[in-house]
Amino acid sequence: MQKPELLAPAGDLEKLKMAIIYGADAVYLGGEQFGLRKASKNFTEDEIKEGVDFAHEKDKKVYITMNIIPHNEDLIGLEEYSKKLYDMGVDGVIVSDPGIFSVINRTVPELPIHLSTQASVTNYETVMFWYNLGIRRIVLARELSLNEIEEIIKKAPKDLEIETFVHGAMCISYSGRCLLSNYMVGRDANRGDCAHPCRWKYYLMEEKRPGEYFPIVEGDKGTFIFNSKDLCMIEYIPDLVKAGIKSFKIEGRVKSSYYVATVVRSYRMAIDEYFKDPDNYTFDESWIDEIKKASYRDFTTGFYFGKPTEEDQVYTSSSYIRKYDFVGLVLDYDEDTKLATIEQRNRMFVGDEIEVFGPGRKHFTQIIEKMWDEEGNEIDVAPHPQQIIKMKMDNKVNKWDIIRKSIEG
């Protein structure tokens, strides 16, 4: 069996670096045009180059999203941008539109093109249509069962790679092709500007009673009839591997770097543990417990094991569950003094219990006994965003290790 690629989202340079440090084999990101995530910071051309160089130094890959459904004006500058990406050494671009595919293919034919989930590929005949045009990786529609995916892979050419989403927010519309946002607030989801109306609270109105709203009550706060649970397939790594999926994709370019590190770390440990000894593999519940220490909604397996039911929706709230704060990022560590240099991300106090974790290893817990500011003054609290402090650590830590704190008391 071939170990699948673990593909992580990168909303900015820090998230890119965090994803790779914490175990991603590749990242996907958007530039300032042609991508579907205006809400993320996205990358300037200089940042793309820096990200590609960082990834390639560690033998990892970078894919660029160019998966909008374009209007005429959206095609302006496409050839020039494609050439720049190729010259930067990106490992592939992700497209959904045949026009964008055609322009890139004739402009830089050596640049690998992946077909986005936005193309809604749900059967092997469509797979072969794109394969015959030169596509060698397809991100399947999210609305497929594992059995359907396995059948597609068996019938597809051996040099075609299949990528599927394994974790993250689910879209209520077919493979993300949503018109609600554009209709309701004039923000076109298919051009990267989704307002997420599927997460809003709705009421019922009868046609002949305009303005008279009937509540759809699931609880005291009403109901959220389009609000899906988040996809989580970490418990089913063996099934995904055996089906022949080549790339496991995590959603979340607008999520925090803490979220990216936490989720990638758990999937990395699960995949690696499975490949150590597939016949005697046992799922470790701590992996999903760790994921739940980042913000999350309740989890679902989406369409993998059958069509979703009412059990796969969250009717009471569209909010995330958040039990921990990301409070610090380790910048340096002195083994002689056991002092860590830390960049503060949320307030922490002397006396707080914190958890410290890094790539591929268990976390440890300690009490903050003393902290010092950059001038060496002892402090009781680190209140300032990105304040640089020093803290004594009970165990050795490394650059990029993360410090978190429970917010549940």
Side-chain angles (χ1 to χ4, degrees):
M1 290 183 293
Q2 180 183 348
K3 187 178 284 192
E5 172 187 83
L6 181 58
L7 178 56
D12 59 31
L13 264 174
E14 180 181 272
K15 295 172 190 176
L16 178 149
K17 293 176 181 179
M18 197 78 86
I20 289 171
I21 293 294
Y22 276 78
D25 299 303
V27 295
Y28 63 100
L29 57 93
E32 295 182 311
Q33 42 187 342
F34 308 115
L36 271 178
R37 283 295 179 271
K38 285 187 180 179
S40 63
K41 291 181 181 179
N42 293 322
F43 285 65
T44 65
E45 290 176 9
D46 287 342
E47 288 172 333
I48 292 175
K49 183 64 169 67
E50 183 179 342
V52 169
D53 290 345
F54 180 88
H56 287 178
E57 283 171 10
K58 299 183 180 301
D59 200 26
K60 309 298 182 183
K61 295 181 178 181
V62 175
Y63 309 130
I64 309 297
T65 59
M66 300 176 69
N67 54 345
I68 58 169
I69 299 175
H71 293 235
N72 290 331
E73 63 266 26
D74 296 317
L75 297 175
I76 296 170
L78 179 56
E79 293 96 333
E80 181 184 3
Y81 185 64
S82 301
K83 289 176 183 176
K84 286 180 179 179
L85 293 179
Y86 178 72
D87 290 340
M88 290 177 198
V90 303
D91 299 283
V93 293
I94 306 168
V95 311
S96 63
D97 178 71
I100 288 183
F101 167 80
S102 297
V103 171
I104 297 172
N105 199 37
R106 70 169 178 259
T107 304
V108 278
E110 299 86 4
L111 180 61
I113 302 175
H114 302 175
L115 192 68
S116 170
T117 190
Q118 298 290 125
S120 303
V121 174
T122 57
N123 63 79
Y124 57 83
E125 286 292 351
T126 306
V127 164
M128 290 308 303
F129 170 84
W130 285 106
Y131 178 84
N132 290 331
L133 289 176
I135 292 285
R136 290 299 178 267
R137 179 183 288 197
I138 293 177
V139 190
L140 293 179
R142 302 190 197 194
E143 294 76 20
L144 291 174
S145 70
L146 192 59
N147 287 337
E148 290 175 304
I149 294 169
E150 192 168 7
E151 182 181 1
I152 286 172
I153 291 170
K154 285 179 179 177
K155 293 185 175 181
K158 297 302 181 187
D159 61 337
L160 178 76
E161 296 181 338
I162 292 298
E163 176 182 313
T164 67
F165 280 90
V166 298
H167 194 92
M170 295 285 284
C171 182
I172 199 69
S173 296
Y174 209 93
S175 289
R177 288 175 172 261
C178 183
L179 300 177
L180 272 178
S181 179
N182 205 357
Y183 177 77
M184 298 180 80
V185 294
R187 288 172 52 179
D188 192 344
N190 297 308
R191 296 166 84 182
D193 201 20
C194 183
H196 302 287
C198 56
R199 307 296 180 188
W200 298 352
K201 181 178 178 181
Y202 289 88
Y203 291 92
L204 176 69
M205 188 178 74
E206 197 272 329
E207 181 181 7
K208 295 181 180 179
R209 294 173 174 81
E212 188 175 347
Y213 301 103
F214 298 91
I216 309 170
V217 179
E218 188 73 26
D220 294 340
K221 297 180 180 178
T223 194
F224 298 78
I225 57 177
F226 297 132
N227 187 45
S228 172
K229 292 180 179 179
D230 283 353
L231 179 66
C232 180
M233 290 295 290
I234 194 168
E235 295 180 70
Y236 304 97
I237 296 295
D239 302 277
L240 301 174
V241 171
K242 290 172 185 175
I245 299 167
K246 292 295 193 295
S247 182
F248 294 177
K249 189 170 195 172
I250 296 168
E251 180 274 340
R253 277 189 286 148
V254 299
K255 304 287 180 61
S256 69
S257 55
Y258 169 60
Y259 172 92
V260 171
T262 302
V263 175
V264 167
R265 172 174 169 261
S266 282
Y267 274 87
R268 177 78 278 150
M269 289 192 290
I271 293 168
D272 290 350
E273 189 64 27
Y274 174 70
F275 275 86
K276 283 180 184 177
D277 187 358
D279 293 333
N280 295 297
Y281 170 78
T282 302
F283 179 74
D284 186 337
E285 291 291 339
S286 71
W287 298 328
I288 198 165
D289 290 340
E290 285 292 300
I291 287 175
K292 289 179 179 179
K293 290 181 179 180
S295 62
Y296 72 100
R297 297 184 183 94
D298 288 331
F299 293 133
T300 173
T301 55
F303 289 80
Y304 277 102
F305 301 113
K307 291 182 179 179
T309 68
E310 67 276 4
E311 296 300 320
D312 298 285
Q313 299 291 108
V314 182
Y315 298 108
T316 54
S317 170
S318 62
S319 299
Y320 281 97
I321 301 167
R322 185 164 145 259
K323 298 178 181 178
Y324 282 77
D325 272 342
F326 172 23
V327 295
L329 180 67
V330 175
L331 304 179
D332 195 15
Y333 178 71
D334 187 315
E335 292 197 46
D336 294 329
T337 63
K338 296 188 177 180
L339 286 178
T341 303
I342 296 161
E343 182 181 278
Q344 184 262 36
R345 294 303 177 91
N346 274 292
R347 284 201 307 169
M348 48 184 157
F349 298 81
V350 169
D352 281 346
E353 183 177 79
I354 56 172
E355 293 182 2
V356 186
F357 69 94
R361 63 182 192 276
K362 300 284 188 181
H363 71 268
F364 69 87
T365 302
Q366 73 168 60
I367 303 295
I368 300 176
E369 295 181 354
K370 287 185 178 182
M371 293 188 293
W372 296 265
D373 64 18
E374 281 190 280
E375 286 73 43
N377 302 308
E378 191 169 336
I379 55 176
D380 293 326
V381 57
H384 307 301
Q386 296 187 293
Q387 177 181 4
I388 305 301
I389 64 170
K390 290 190 183 293
M391 181 192 303
K392 188 150 261 181
M393 285 289 172
D394 291 349
N395 295 290
K396 181 180 182 295
V397 293
N398 301 305
K399 183 179 179 181
W400 295 102
D401 282 1
I402 286 174
I403 304 170
R404 64 188 173 210
K405 180 178 74 170
S406 172
I407 60 177
E408 296 187 317

